Amino acid sequence: MEATRAQWKSKLGFVLAASGSAIGLGNIVFFSANAYAYGAGAFYLPYLVSLFVVGIPVLVSEMALGGETRRAFPQSLGRIAGRPGELFGWWALLNAAFITMYYVTILAWVCGMLLGTLGPLWTEATALPAFGIDSLPNPVGFFFSMLSSGWVLVLVAVVWLLNAVIVRRGIATIESAVKVFVPLMWLFMGILIVRGITLPHGEEGVYLLFTPDFQIARDPGVWQGAMSQIFFSLSLGFGIMTAYGSYLPKDADHANNGIVTACLNCGFELLAGLAVFSLLFAFAIVPQASTIAMMFFVVPQGIAAMPAAVKLFGFVFFLLLLMAGLSSSISLLEAICSAVIDKFGWSRKKTLTIACGIGILGSSAFALPQVIDRGLASNGTLGLTLLDLIDHWAFSYGLLVVGLVECLIVGWLLPASRLRQMVNANSRFRLPAVFDWLLKVVIPLGLAVILATSLWGELTGTFYGTTFTLDWAGSLPVAAALFWIGSTILGAWFLTSRRGVAQPAPRLEPAEAPEVPHAS
Ligand code: TRP
């Protein structure tokens, strides 16, 4: 099996794919929205600490895990911790699948806006009969009218189809796609940032982004925000980097790959933050902290206020979002396909058809156009409300739980010293011994404290979502949370308990000699 496992054609292909996965909506808009919500410059301290102390070590571990076991995420963890490890790996993939489903729905809205930039998005106002509103200024009006129309369901199917086309022959087709997408993303971002900074007053946004505020770092909420941002942005806790790493040659340099990917990702994030903040300041727009508002109203409003070439810049912005988003969503589709194929030996076609079918259904739920809340200040439709609720659990809690448990498994059971030796055997940059303690103690402890504080606050104070003014469906917040936890646990249990075709690979014993790759 190992002799036939596909391999990246070049190291460049792998780095483009890994950075394409990492760079996404998270970098372009979620970062700016989160940074603004937590006081812009104040966000940087927790963000950088999360990046260096948690992000890079976890990224290198996830890649190395795949590179060493040459298996997808559940099977990799299974080789370290047996069935419980595999169960947990499937749970992580299912949690990530929830995120992917709403991520694709957001991409469908991006497609709708992209079409809108050809004309209707820039008109004065749009009528919103479904909300009982005669006219609402654009781009907000255009966005909500799209949200409350059934058309988005078609766009959802289109985006899933695009995903399936790119993943149709696994990393071969992924590599071709990212060779086009990733350079174009950098080019488009370059155009936007030059435009943003050269606008009058644009530089004031830059000052705000870089004015530190140490007081705010005392708020545990900021740490949860920064930590989740790092996990999401670097695609950690999705099982993606393990799947991508499993297609690397045996002697790959994981430390180098991880550091390069992290630098590309955070460099892009920094540029995007500069572009967005300068745009906002140039036009004196007060951002709404929500990520959706940032992407769909605030930035387009800034673009609409530009002196010239509004349509062109609008088009470039949404095309950038679409390409960046697709190069991320395909990576999870591949992580799931490789896990299913590794375990059940299904054909790629069958696996992709089933995965995309389920994906279309799930993403459609987040696109349901029924208006359940006429207050436009909140979520409006049933789909967007569900998205907000599931995002809260799968993103702010799920990813961090995955990070916590995977560090414990790799740190104590593999254990970390062995992973470090394996990485260092092929790496120019040697991981220092403190790496072991980061994985074993520091990261799990930090994540546990953050998770426990937030969850405690939530269970004893206000449960997320119960303050929404929902016209009906008041039990939705609790139902969504239960659905998320119930379906991921049941699904993971089901997938683990089925007998796979391939014999499970032997456990990675601590003293096991490195495997010699089969000659083909
Ligand atoms: N890192 C991506 C971002 O910053 C998020 C992401 C990566 C993602 N892989 C994904 C989202 C798969 C959904 C599905 O936007």
Side-chain angles (χ1 to χ4, degrees), residues 387-408:
L387 189 157
D388 189 348
L389 294 170
I390 294 291
D391 170 68
H392 177 74
W393 295 105
F395 173 93
S396 305
Y397 286 91
L399 292 180
L400 300 189
V401 171
V402 177
L404 169 67
V405 179
E406 89 184 314
C407 284
L408 290 177

Side-chain angles (χ1 to χ4, degrees), residues 54-63 231 236-237 403 406-407 439 443:
V54 181
I56 295 182
V58 175
L59 179 59
V60 172
S61 316
E62 284 198 3
M63 282 181 177
F231 267 81
L236 302 178
E406 89 184 314
C407 284
L439 283 198
I443 302 175

Side-chain angles (χ1 to χ4, degrees), residues 370-446:
Q370 283 78 6
V371 173
I372 58 167
D373 162 16
R374 288 173 173 240
L376 291 179
S378 52
N379 294 318
T381 61
L382 180 55
L384 185 53
T385 308
L386 286 175
L387 189 157
D388 189 348
L389 294 170
I390 294 291
D391 170 68
H392 177 74
W393 295 105
F395 173 93
S396 305
Y397 286 91
L399 292 180
L400 300 189
V401 171
V402 177
L404 169 67
V405 179
E406 89 184 314
C407 284
L408 290 177
I409 293 180
V410 173
W412 292 97
L413 299 180
L414 185 53
S417 54
R418 168 137 193 256
L419 187 83
R420 183 163 52 86
Q421 279 162 12
M422 296 188 305
V423 171
N424 283 349
N426 294 310
S427 144
R428 263 176 292 159
F429 169 82
R430 297 180 69 77
L431 295 177
V434 59
F435 175 84
D436 300 1
W437 292 102
L438 285 179
L439 283 198
K440 284 174 132 155
V441 180
V442 179
I443 302 175
L445 207 63

Side-chain angles (χ1 to χ4, degrees), residues 8 30 53 66 80 117 120 146 173 201 207 244 419 421 461 476 513:
W8 300 102
F30 298 1
V53 178
I80 302 174
T117 57
M146 174 174 75
T173 39
H201 302 294
Y207 298 145
Y244 273 9
L419 187 83
Q421 279 162 12
L476 218 50

Side-chain angles (χ1 to χ4, degrees), residues 347-372:
S347 73
R348 183 164 276 274
K349 195 165 169 196
K350 172 176 170 187
T351 316
L352 262 182
T353 313
I354 295 179
C356 289
I358 298 176
I360 291 180
L361 286 180
S363 298
S364 300
F366 297 117
L368 287 173
Q370 283 78 6
V371 173
I372 58 167

